[in-house]
Amino acid sequence: MQHLIGENWHSFETEKIVEKLESNINDGLGPLSIKHRKEFFGKNELKEKKQDSKLKKFFMQFHNALIYILLGASAVTGFLQEWVDSGVIFGVVIINVIIGYIQEVKAQEAIDSLKEMMTTEAIVIRDGKKINISSVDLVPGDIVLLESGSKVPADMRLIEAKDLKVDESMLTGESLPVQKNLSVHSQDITINDRKNMTYSGTYVTYGRAKGIVVATASHTELGKIAHLIEETTSMETPLTKKISAFSKILLYVILVLATITFLIGLLRDYSIVDTFMASVALAVGAIPEGLPAAVTITLAIGVSRMAKQHAIIRKLPAVETLGSVTTICSDKTGTLTQNKMSVTNIFCEGNSYEIDGVGYEPKGNFFKDNKEIDSLDDKLQEVLRAGYLCNESYLVNKDGHYLIKGDPTEGALIVSALKAGLDENALNTTYPRLDILPFESDRQYMATLNKDISTNENNIYLKGSVERCLNICDYEISDTGTVAVDKDKILAKAQEYASQGLRVLALAKKVSHGDKISDNELDNGFVFLGLQAMMDPPRPEAIEAVKESIGAGIKVIMITGDHAHTAFSIAKMMSIVEEDAIFEDTVLNGKELFSISDKELIEKVSTVRVFARVEPEQKLRIVDALQARGEIVAMTGDGVNDAPALKQADIGIAMGKGGTEVAKEAADMILSDDNFSSITHAVKEGRNVFDNLIKFITWTLPTNLGEGLVILVAIMLGLTLPILPVQILWINMSTAILLGLMLVFEPHEDDIMLRAPRDPKKSILTKVIVIQMLVVGFYMLIASYIMFNYAIANGQSVEYARTIAVNIFVFVELFYLFSCKELQKSVFRTNIMNNKLLLLGVALMIFIQITFTHASFMNTMFKSEGLDFMTWTQILLIGFGVLFVVEIKRFIDSKLGIS
């Protein structure tokens, strides 16, 4: 049985397949054969990989350097019996752990969704009888019958096919149903072009067929995708990578400095308890307790803002990741395009017409020579009438949303007729159908026989491929009636439309003298009516979104299962490629992808903007290649075929309305309105999230540095501690909550979408931030020591002097906050009124700091003491002075070209 797995069934003749599978076309499998195959292959359902227990998943969330720092801070504050602060810090840890745990549990839902997709009913022939069974009971060698509306229950090689069309968009991205046949293909042909195969999870839209099951469960193409999703490693986001690296460095620095402080204290003969408390004070001062809360809250605010723009975030760090995106890989069908075929051009009587309108809604205008035409002549109406009558689909209005029941191509013909004002009831009444000749691939056309009640004349209407229809057309309509058909002119026009990525159908008509369509009437004598050219048009809002993304320095790449020339034309319309772009330089198809090495692909992805006729594994490979070049990749998609790449990408974006559940579960973000333009809003919000986090870090680190230095200098020089550990905790927690966290509410800066994407390799701590951190940190150190010693020298108590030092730290932070609103602009040119919450935080901070200084219960708790008016004036002047220090530093940076 093992030899049956992985065969290229599309390359074998039917007899060879039946022989290999030891089956019978007419009778199917017998009971014993079914029993043995079930034992070997198992049920036709996806099996989950053994998962870690929920308890293990929960505790693994603690395995993070930042969490270690927080736990250390919580333990230290607990040791100091500051239970409230200890509880707050530990609460932040638990919140982060719970969020991570929930995200990880949800990741497996994609596999569950795939399992549901594979469960369906199947009509099979077993032991010579036709029976209905559950798809989970199918085995290789089963003979299965398919009909219109069926979900394909397993991968099958077709044995018989009658006008069979299959919707494979969820697997291949192909926007139109695929016409199937029994032809044998070469081994290296891609899934998209295997016309003799049907695949599990796809849908039959037309016709009927008989097939033999060649693969079940995990061996199907759908099963391979499930395996890809399972094996794909979700990438860390840029933020988590940087925070993780920063946290590790900070952890080591804090441990080293605390150890140095402890050793110096022992060498200076301090008591072990005092030395230990000084080391604890340094550790508490150096730990940015507000950082994880700032990260979580900033991301949560981003989620809330993006939800209002129809972008639903499933995984919190995805908000920031969007701001760092350098490349967006977008599926074409239903993402960049409407997934609704529309007639855009008509050629009739030597004239070219254009039609506008969106989707299947029967509203639109007709244009000739770029001018709108109010009334349509009889010959143009005849072309539209032919498209409506020679048709087996119909338009449905469901709560104001128009849908097509049947073939999307035929739907486009119906809509174009209704846009012209043709009345459905009148057409159906005036031209009742007498007979129909369904479309068949060998004929390449379809025909209907309709009676014209007004003339009592029977007409055969015909639609199909241009070349085949012209072969049986002898005439064409003209102003003078009918003339000999000019085939060269019509073929040239059809080629022109095809080069624009349009699908072209020819329409013709012939008077009939019978009530049935006879074969001898279809050989010649038809009158050519015209061409209708259609496409799955781009979403207008997506075009603008792509342009804005490119303007923001983001590359947009189209990845599709559709034909290369069609995709290339759409890419031009959307400005994904330049108007004068060379096809060979910017387009790569699936077959070429198979033949090139990973190294060659990594080189090619720098210039290729359109990947066509690709398979699921290749989408994943493309994302891998881009990431190998250091790109931060966003992948949009809506089909099952997109799920592995969605999970592998730095951020996966699924469509909420048209997307499959598999795609949604694999994605980090879901667009609830299926609107590509929502991505632009998300990118903007993502960039703002990162900006605000950088602002918070730039604001908080100088304080941690200053506090750490104050303790270190005191121990090294044998001085009295200017600030106690409990006072450091007060500074850190109060300012982080009331001042620092207000920065996360900052609105985006005006030029946010005019910048290039942030370099993924660039550290959080840039040279500018490090220098600013050192300048402000040493400013705090120097100012606090000068004022502390000045107070002692003037006979003030140690408590009074320490209260001064605490207030210097707080008010320097308060004024410095305004310098951090915009890091590249002078504080004196910044709009300080555009963040009302920040102003509220400043007001509350002043109030509680006055309380800290003058309220007796606070004096007892924190060992503080009331200050006089002159001292307050000096503190405020020192605080205000930091603005000028930062301005001078930024002026020097600009002159030296430091960035």
Side-chain angles (χ1 to χ4, degrees):
M1 296 285 182
Q2 187 68 39
H3 68 283
L4 299 179
I5 298 172
E7 288 278 15
N8 293 309
W9 299 106
H10 57 276
S11 64
F12 296 137
E13 295 288 348
T14 303
E15 294 76 12
K16 184 71 172 175
I17 294 169
V18 174
E19 180 186 332
K20 274 180 166 286
L21 290 166
E22 299 176 15
S23 187
N24 184 291
I25 292 177
N26 298 316
D27 296 333
L29 297 172
L32 288 178
S33 184
I34 293 167
K35 179 177 179 291
H36 293 315
R37 292 175 195 224
K38 277 188 177 179
E39 289 171 355
F40 183 84
F41 291 104
K43 288 188 175 183
N44 180 31
E45 61 183 2
L46 297 180
K47 292 181 173 62
E48 293 185 58
K49 187 174 74 174
K50 187 178 179 182
Q51 300 296 309
D52 291 333
S53 68
K54 290 185 178 181
L55 193 62
K56 184 176 180 181
K57 284 180 180 178
F58 180 80
F59 282 108
M60 282 303 293
Q61 305 304 318
F62 288 91
H63 186 54
N64 178 289
L66 187 59
I67 297 297
Y68 294 150
I69 292 176
L70 286 171
L71 289 172
S74 180
V76 167
T77 50
F79 179 82
L80 294 172
Q81 297 187 356
E82 297 295 330
W83 305 118
V84 174
D85 294 329
S86 179
V88 168
I89 297 170
F90 190 70
V92 170
V93 171
I94 295 300
I95 289 170
N96 280 280
V97 165
I98 290 172
I99 290 172
Y101 172 73
I102 291 171
Q103 289 171 1
E104 189 167 336
V105 168
K106 282 188 174 181
Q108 276 309 113
E109 291 180 8
I111 301 297
D112 296 336
S113 183
L114 273 171
K115 286 185 71 176
E116 288 174 14
M117 288 190 68
M118 286 200 63
T119 304
T120 186
E121 291 291 308
I123 304 172
V124 300
I125 298 174
R126 285 183 171 178
D127 206 19
K129 297 174 184 176
K130 187 164 70 171
I131 58 173
N132 276 52
I133 66 169
S134 171
S135 66
V136 300
D137 294 323
L138 285 174
V139 294
D142 262 326
I143 304 298
V144 177
L145 302 179
L146 299 174
E147 57 188 22
S148 182
S150 298
K151 181 192 281 188
V152 179
D155 287 4
M156 303 193 318
R157 172 69 153 82
L158 295 174
I159 301 168
E160 298 173 8
K162 178 70 172 176
D163 304 329
L164 186 67
K165 290 184 181 180
V166 180
D167 180 357
E168 297 183 334
S169 60
M170 52 77 74
L171 185 67
T172 67
E174 177 75 62
S175 56
L176 293 172
V178 179
Q179 182 79 39
K180 296 293 185 177
N181 55 50
L182 306 181
S183 56
V184 178
H185 303 297
S186 61
Q187 287 192 13
D188 60 351
I189 200 167
T190 62
I191 289 176
N192 311 60
D193 298 313
R194 295 174 189 171
K195 307 300 183 188
N196 59 9
M197 298 287 296
T198 58
Y199 294 101
S200 178
T202 59
Y203 287 87
V204 176
T205 61
Y206 191 80
R208 58 184 184 275
K210 179 191 284 188
I212 184 167
V213 174
V214 296
T216 57
S218 60
H219 302 300
T220 64
E221 293 299 325
L222 197 62
K224 291 175 186 175
I225 292 174
H227 179 71
L228 285 173
I229 298 173
E230 200 172 59
E231 293 300 315
T232 301
T233 303
S234 293
M235 301 295 288
E236 281 188 289
T237 70
L239 178 69
T240 53
K241 289 177 185 174
K242 290 180 173 65
I243 292 292
S244 178
F246 171 69
S247 300
K248 287 176 183 175
I249 293 171
L250 192 59
L251 180 63
Y252 297 141
V253 169
I254 290 169
L255 291 174
V256 168
L257 289 178
T259 303
I260 291 172
T261 301
F262 186 75
L263 293 175
I264 291 174
L266 292 179
L267 291 173
R268 286 189 164 275
D269 293 329
Y270 288 124
S271 71
I272 291 179
V273 173
D274 290 342
T275 305
F276 178 72
M277 291 304 294
S279 300
V280 166
L282 185 143
V284 170
I287 293 173
E289 289 92 344
L291 180 59
V295 172
T296 303
I297 293 171
T298 305
L299 294 177
I301 291 168
V303 168
S304 176
R305 287 176 177 172
M306 290 169 68
K308 294 174 184 176
Q309 299 289 343
H310 308 288
I312 310 301
I313 298 299
R314 290 187 66 250
K315 301 173 184 176
L316 209 55
V319 183
E320 178 273 333
T321 311
L322 270 166
S324 302
V325 162
T326 59
T327 302
I328 298 176
C329 295
S330 177
D331 187 47
K332 179 183 75 68
T333 305
T335 307
L336 292 170
T337 63
Q338 299 173 24
N339 200 18
K340 296 175 181 177
M341 294 296 288
S342 297
V343 174
T344 58
N345 298 78
I346 294 178
F347 180 70
C348 169
E349 197 189 359
N351 297 311
S352 297
Y353 301 89
E354 294 82 40
I355 310 176
D356 66 7
V358 178
Y360 292 136
E361 187 173 7
K363 292 181 181 178
N365 302 300
F366 286 72
F367 301 85
K368 181 181 178 184
D369 300 325
N370 294 320
K371 294 181 181 178
E372 186 176 345
I373 52 177
D374 297 324
S375 59
L376 310 186
D377 62 39
D378 293 340
K379 298 173 184 62
L380 178 55
Q381 288 196 42
E382 183 71 355
V383 176
L384 295 164
R385 188 182 300 117
Y388 180 89
L389 295 174
C390 190
N391 206 304
E392 287 196 278
S393 301
Y394 56 96
L395 183 68
V396 177
N397 183 349
K398 188 176 182 180
D399 301 326
H401 297 286
Y402 289 89
L403 307 170
I404 290 295
K405 294 295 184 182
D407 189 287
T409 302
E410 291 191 326
L413 297 174
I414 293 172
V415 173
S416 67
L418 299 183
K419 284 179 179 178
L422 299 184
D423 183 83
E424 284 190 275
N425 292 329
L427 287 170
N428 295 331
T429 304
T430 309
Y431 303 94
R433 181 178 296 174
L434 303 177
D435 196 15
I436 182 172
L437 188 69
F439 179 90
E440 286 190 3
S441 55
D442 56 345
R443 260 200 314 264
Q444 296 184 20
Y445 63 76
M446 140 180 204
T448 61
L449 179 63
N450 297 75
K451 187 177 188 67
D452 186 343
I453 300 297
S454 63
T455 63
N456 203 32
E457 188 176 70
N458 293 347
N459 294 301
I460 298 175
Y461 288 100
L462 181 141
K463 78 165 187 289
S465 72
V466 179
E467 294 82 359
R468 187 69 184 89
C469 289
L470 285 179
N471 285 341
I472 56 176
C473 285
D474 298 319
Y475 313 99
E476 65 177 299
I477 53 175
S478 71
D479 289 333
T480 58
T482 58
V483 297
V485 65
D486 186 344
K487 295 183 180 181
D488 290 338
K489 177 184 68 177
I490 296 167
L491 285 170
K493 194 66 181 179
Q495 184 58 43
E496 178 189 326
Y497 286 149
S499 68
Q500 297 170 19
L502 302 177
R503 184 177 187 188
V504 187
L505 290 178
L507 295 118
K509 174 184 176 181
K510 180 181 181 178
V511 175
S512 174
H513 300 289
D515 294 332
K516 294 287 182 182
I517 299 173
S518 61
D519 290 340
N520 60 357
E521 289 184 295
L522 300 173
D523 293 335
N524 53 51
F526 276 85
V527 177
F528 174 78
L529 299 177
L531 303 173
Q532 290 204 49
M534 63 196 70
M535 69 182 302
D536 181 9
R539 295 172 178 265
E541 65 275 13
I543 295 174
E544 295 305 313
V546 167
K547 288 179 180 177
E548 189 167 4
S549 295
I550 293 172
I554 300 169
K555 288 187 291 188
V556 179
I557 294 175
M558 180 190 292
I559 303 179
T560 178
D562 228 330
H563 293 279
H565 286 283
T566 302
F568 184 59
S569 299
I570 295 287
K572 276 188 175 181
M573 293 179 198
M574 306 201 71
S575 302
I576 291 174
V577 299
E578 300 290 338
E579 192 60 38
D580 58 352
I582 299 171
F583 179 86
E584 291 75 13
D585 293 342
T586 53
V587 180
L588 197 66
N589 65 46
K591 197 169 183 179
E592 292 170 322
L593 263 176
F594 271 124
S595 64
I596 64 175
S597 66
D598 289 343
K599 185 178 180 181
E600 289 173 306
L601 179 57
I602 291 169
E603 184 65 32
K604 280 186 173 291
V605 291
S606 64
T607 57
V608 171
R609 293 293 177 270
V610 178
F611 289 91
R613 308 299 281 173
V614 298
E615 298 188 20
E617 295 89 342
Q618 293 176 320
K619 290 189 175 191
L620 189 57
R621 193 176 168 216
I622 292 164
V623 173
D624 281 336
L626 287 163
Q627 290 173 333
R629 293 186 66 88
E631 302 282 348
I632 301 296
V633 182
M635 168 74 184
T636 72
D638 53 9
V640 174
N641 60 323
D642 297 319
L646 286 175
K647 191 176 180 188
Q648 175 64 22
D650 296 275
I651 175 164
I653 307 169
M655 302 298 121
K657 288 182 180 177
T660 61
E661 287 303 310
V662 181
K664 292 174 189 176
E665 294 301 335
D668 303 283
M669 183 177 92
I670 299 169
L671 302 184
S672 62
D673 60 351
D674 284 14
N675 194 332
F676 190 90
S677 63
S678 297
I679 296 173
T680 306
H681 297 299
V683 168
K684 184 184 295 183
E685 192 56 49
R687 290 187 174 191
N688 192 46
V689 163
F690 200 94
D691 274 4
N692 289 347
L693 284 172
I694 293 297
K695 290 172 185 177
F696 178 85
I697 290 169
T698 304
W699 172 84
T700 193
L701 288 186
T703 304
N704 298 120
L705 175 67
E707 290 168 344
L709 288 174
V710 163
I711 303 300
L712 189 60
V713 168
I715 294 297
M716 290 180 69
L717 300 181
L719 304 175
T720 304
L721 288 179
I723 307 178
L724 297 173
V726 70
Q727 294 171 339
I728 289 176
L729 273 173
W730 166 262
I731 295 170
N732 287 359
M733 297 307 293
S734 62
T735 58
I737 293 169
L738 293 178
L739 299 181
L741 288 182
M742 298 304 111
L743 283 172
V744 308
F745 297 98
E746 280 292 296
H748 63 77
E749 296 175 21
D750 294 337
D751 66 343
I752 199 164
M753 289 301 283
L754 300 176
R755 311 173 194 160
R758 183 179 175 83
D759 183 357
K761 299 183 180 70
K762 195 173 183 181
S763 169
I764 287 179
L765 297 178
T766 62
K767 187 184 291 185
V768 169
I769 291 176
V770 170
I771 293 173
Q772 190 158 306
M773 178 182 74
L774 292 172
V775 168
V776 177
F778 275 98
Y779 179 80
M780 288 179 172
L781 170 71
I782 294 168
S784 60
Y785 258 109
I786 288 174
M787 291 300 294
F788 178 83
N789 288 317
Y790 178 77
I792 295 295
N794 280 277
Q796 300 289 357
S797 67
V798 172
E799 287 76 15
Y800 189 96
R802 282 175 174 158
T803 306
I804 294 174
V806 169
N807 277 291
I808 285 175
F809 269 89
V810 169
F811 280 93
V812 169
E813 284 189 79
L814 188 148
F815 283 102
Y816 179 52
L817 186 71
F818 293 98
S819 284
C820 293
K821 278 176 64 67
E822 292 199 36
L823 299 179
Q824 304 300 323
K825 189 186 290 186
S826 168
V827 68
F828 302 110
R829 289 190 290 115
T830 299
N831 181 3
I832 65 171
M833 305 300 292
N834 65 352
N835 185 347
K836 299 296 188 292
L837 286 174
L838 184 142
L839 297 176
L840 176 63
V842 167
L844 289 173
M845 188 70 238
I846 292 172
F847 172 76
I848 68 164
Q849 198 55 33
I850 291 172
T851 304
F852 169 90
T853 305
H854 294 284
S856 58
F857 72 95
M858 295 291 274
N859 295 156
T860 302
M861 190 182 304
F862 290 100
K863 299 181 175 59
S864 58
E865 193 172 305
L867 305 177
D868 60 33
F869 178 79
M870 182 58 67
T871 304
W872 272 116
T873 304
Q874 293 167 341
I875 290 169
L876 292 175
L877 286 173
I878 291 169
F880 188 69
V882 76
L883 298 178
F884 293 96
V885 171
V886 173
E887 287 299 304
I888 293 168
K889 179 262 176 192
R890 287 180 181 171
F891 176 78
I892 295 171
D893 284 348
S894 65
K895 292 300 179 182
L896 297 178
I898 299 173
S899 60

